[in-house]
């Protein structure tokens, strides 16, 4: 064994915060909710119906007060309120960008904070959610990668980000109101802080809740999970979640990818591409998104573009070019616009859709890969203020 630090952490050893005190019903799968209600004394023959009723109140109507669940008896409501809570993370602050992007600083149990970003577009509204506080991986262009993993989020904290955004957008329907087809929050991307495939079970349970037809009702086609390339978990994403897949590809040689996305040392380009060729859900109507961050002079040559299309040949794919978003102290620069266009052109002529992702919410540090930096800066300045004024 060499003395180099491991680049990944065993999933089993990642601390997962367990609830203390009354059990939170949010984030439980339907099965787990049923078991929990039965263990608390709900007669088994009623459990399925109770699950359906409570589920609808929570996830269809956004109700978080047992007493408002009027199709349950008063006694039963009181019993629920005694034993259980309905807790989602709290919005600590909200910043709204000039372009309408909203960035929420969200506090989770233990006093940790993550960020959730809402991006309104003409035909959709996308919520970018976090799956971990920090990240075990150390991609060199990503600000989250400079922060140690603090802990995995629970399924309640993951689905809770969707719920708190719906609270803020005022988007819960009135009980009994007709279904509203035009949604402010219509899409979810797991592209915030953390590597979702290193928190697989919680991400899966939360996304199952998001897709449940009796609740938040997002189609699996409107949920995209982005991974740096945790190969053993990729097939499971199709089988157990069924959402869309995006891969943080970012380089066309192992040498460069080893530096940008160090998990490549564990599962290299060939291994990753083989896993994608075998991906059970890939088809022309459900393409895998290849994310490619444009770093000046590092991975943005025409040669790279040609190599990229050669590498992914045969995989139903679309390529998403992401102009690098700078953060304080970042060791890279964004590629020039002409370079990005020239790269995009080669990809496009090879037959792939190659949208260039417009950076959103840059003025509030809400763009891809910038998350948490604003918070850190705020902390630092508070600490500086304390030092300067002799307080704290
Ligand atoms: N951990 C997952 C998901 C979170 S990152 C992953 O790596 O895929 C979401 C996307 O933003 C990834 O493609 C990531 O590589 C990209 N990204 C990270 N830092 C960035 C930055 N500074 N500028 C542009 N994109 C960045
Ligand atoms: Fe983690 Fe993704 Fe950032 Fe890499 S790009 S450090 S996997 S959050």
């Amino acid at each position: 064994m060499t003395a180099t630090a491991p680049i990944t952490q065993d999933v089993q050893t990642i601390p997962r915060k367990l609830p203390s005190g009354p059990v939170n019903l949010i984030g439980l799968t339907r099965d787990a909710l049923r078991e929990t209600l039965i263990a608390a004394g709900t007669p088994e023959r009623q459990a399925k119906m109770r699950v359906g009723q409570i589920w609808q109140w929570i996830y269809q109507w956004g109700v978080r007060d047992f007493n408002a669940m009027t199709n349950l008896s008063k006694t039963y409501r009181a019993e629920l309120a005694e034993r259980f809570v309905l807790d989602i993370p709290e919005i600590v602050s909200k910043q709204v960008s000039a372009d309408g992007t909203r960035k929420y600083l969200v506090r989770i149990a233990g006093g940790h904070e993550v960020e959730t970003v809402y991006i309104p577009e003409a035909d959709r509204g996308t919520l970018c959610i976090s799956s971990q506080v920090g990240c075990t991986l150390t991609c060199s262009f990503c600000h989250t990668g400079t922060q140690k993993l603090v802990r995995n989020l629970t399924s309640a904290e993951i689905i809770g980000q969707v719920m708190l955004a719906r609270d803020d957008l005022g988007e819960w329907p009135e009980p009994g109101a007709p279904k509203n087809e035009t949604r402010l929050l219509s899409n979810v991307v797991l592209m915030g802080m953390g590597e979702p495939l290193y928190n697989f079970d919680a991400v899966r349970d939360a996304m199952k809740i998001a897709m449940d037809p009796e609740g938040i009702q997002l189609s699996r086609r409107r949920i995209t999970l982005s991974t740096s390339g945790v190969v053993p978990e990729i097939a499971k994403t199709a089988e157990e979640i069924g959402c869309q897949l995006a891969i943080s590809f970012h380089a066309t040689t192992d040498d460069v990818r080893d530096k940008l996305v160090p998990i490549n040392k564990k599962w290299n380009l060939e291994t990753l591409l083989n896993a994608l060729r075998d991906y059970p859900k890939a088809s022309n109507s459900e393409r895998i998104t290849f994310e490619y961050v444009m770093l000046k002079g590092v991975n943005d040559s025409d040669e790279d573009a040609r190599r990229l299309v050669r590498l992914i040949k045969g995989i139903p794919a679309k390529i998403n070019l992401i102009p690098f978003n700078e953060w304080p102290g970042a060791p890279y620069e964004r590629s020039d616009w002409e370079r990005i266009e020239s790269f995009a052109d080669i990809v496009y002529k090879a037959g792939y859709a190659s949208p260039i992702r417009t950076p959103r919410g840059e003025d509030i540090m809400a763009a891809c890969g910038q998350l948490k930096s604003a918070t850190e800066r705020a902390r630092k300045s508070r600490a500086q203020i304390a030092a300067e004024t002799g307080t704290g």
Side-chain angles (χ1 to χ4, degrees):
M1 280 293 288
T2 60
T4 52
I7 53 160
T8 60
Q9 191 174 335
D10 187 336
V11 184
Q12 304 306 322
T13 67
I14 295 177
R16 182 153 173 192
K17 173 100 177 151
L18 294 171
S20 52
V23 175
N24 187 8
L25 296 187
I26 290 177
L28 299 182
T29 60
R30 278 178 180 267
D31 283 351
L33 180 55
R34 182 172 181 276
E35 295 304 313
T36 307
L37 293 179
I38 292 171
T42 302
E44 229 176 301
R45 57 184 158 51
Q46 289 179 9
K48 189 163 180 245
M49 186 169 77
R50 298 287 172 250
V51 167
Q53 290 169 317
I54 296 169
W55 190 275
Q56 260 187 319
W57 284 112
I58 303 176
Y59 299 117
Q60 189 155 8
W61 314 121
V63 166
R64 249 156 267 148
D65 171 6
F66 290 112
N67 212 23
M69 302 183 177
T70 47
N71 57 358
L72 303 174
S73 76
K74 278 210 164 126
T75 339
Y76 191 61
R77 282 184 250 166
E79 280 169 23
L80 291 173
E82 221 169 84
R83 291 193 169 86
F84 304 118
V85 290
L86 298 170
D87 268 350
I88 64 165
E90 181 196 349
I91 299 178
V92 182
S93 65
K94 173 172 94 173
Q95 281 174 282
V96 183
S97 156
D99 69 13
T101 300
R102 300 182 188 199
K103 182 169 79 169
Y104 305 106
L105 178 62
V106 172
R107 185 174 302 134
I108 58 168
H112 307 299
E113 287 162 351
V114 291
E115 288 179 341
T116 306
V117 179
Y118 172 72
I119 307 147
E121 286 172 274
D123 61 338
R124 69 178 73 182
T126 302
L127 192 73
C128 177
I129 62 178
S130 295
S131 56
Q132 301 183 309
V133 187
C135 188
T136 46
L137 303 175
T138 52
C139 304
S140 51
F141 55 90
C142 172
H143 193 248
T144 309
T146 65
Q147 299 157 23
K148 276 201 181 136
L149 178 80
V150 177
R151 72 166 167 89
N152 276 342
L153 298 192
T154 63
S155 56
E157 291 162 345
I158 297 170
I159 195 64
Q161 294 171 66
V162 178
M163 297 167 80
L164 65 84
R166 291 198 93 188
D167 286 353
D168 185 57
L169 294 165
E171 209 185 18
W172 294 104
E174 288 293 317
K179 228 169 125 179
N180 179 6
E181 293 301 339
T182 46
R183 293 235 203 147
L184 294 172
L185 199 172
S186 61
N187 293 56
V188 166
V189 294
L190 282 145
M191 294 187 186
M193 297 165 63
E195 169 47 62
L197 294 189
Y198 275 143
N199 187 13
F200 189 88
D201 291 0
V203 165
R204 176 199 54 213
D205 291 353
M207 291 306 103
K208 287 280 187 207
I209 293 172
M211 293 186 276
D212 192 288
E214 254 187 333
I216 298 171
Q217 299 177 10
L218 288 173
S219 148
R220 60 181 192 83
R221 288 173 184 262
R222 290 180 173 273
I223 298 177
T224 304
L225 182 153
S226 173
T227 178
S228 57
V230 184
V231 166
E233 306 290 314
I234 284 179
K236 268 171 71 187
T237 305
E239 286 152 11
E240 295 184 31
I241 308 178
C243 60
Q244 309 305 298
L245 183 69
I247 301 289
S248 291
F249 207 65
H250 304 322
T252 60
T253 64
D254 280 323
D255 263 3
V256 175
R257 196 162 191 271
D258 280 354
K259 292 195 186 81
L260 298 181
V261 190
I263 202 176
N264 194 67
K265 293 184 214 158
K266 191 157 183 171
W267 295 292
N268 66 10
L269 282 172
E270 193 190 346
T271 316
L272 175 61
L273 287 162
N274 285 340
L276 298 178
R277 289 213 162 77
D278 293 342
Y279 191 65
K281 273 225 148 63
S283 69
N284 281 337
S285 66
E286 287 190 45
R287 294 166 187 271
I288 296 173
T289 301
F290 285 74
E291 298 166 282
Y292 198 97
V293 66
M294 298 299 293
L295 303 171
K296 193 179 205 160
V298 176
N299 63 354
D300 61 352
S301 68
D302 286 352
E303 184 53 35
D304 278 305
R306 285 190 282 269
R307 236 185 337 251
L308 175 61
V309 297
R310 274 205 303 277
L311 284 172
I312 66 173
K313 205 164 187 263
I315 301 174
K318 53 188 171 198
I319 295 167
N320 198 186
L321 300 178
I322 317 174
F324 175 58
N325 296 309
E326 294 185 13
W327 36 273
Y332 302 104
E333 281 176 82
R334 179 182 292 182
S335 306
D336 295 333
W337 195 248
E338 304 77 65
R339 189 87 297 279
I340 300 180
E341 283 190 328
S342 166
F343 194 107
D345 198 46
I346 293 172
V347 169
Y348 179 73
K349 289 202 172 111
Y352 294 95
S354 57
I356 302 168
R357 194 184 288 176
T358 321
R360 296 290 304 263
E362 277 187 299
D363 54 341
I364 53 167
M365 290 288 281
C368 300
Q370 293 184 323
L371 296 189
K372 198 66 199 282
S373 45
T375 324
E376 282 209 331
R377 270 212 314 272
R379 280 225 186 86
K380 200 178 283 165
S381 61
R382 274 204 294 274
Q384 276 161 1
I385 291 163
E388 280 163 22
T389 60
T391 59

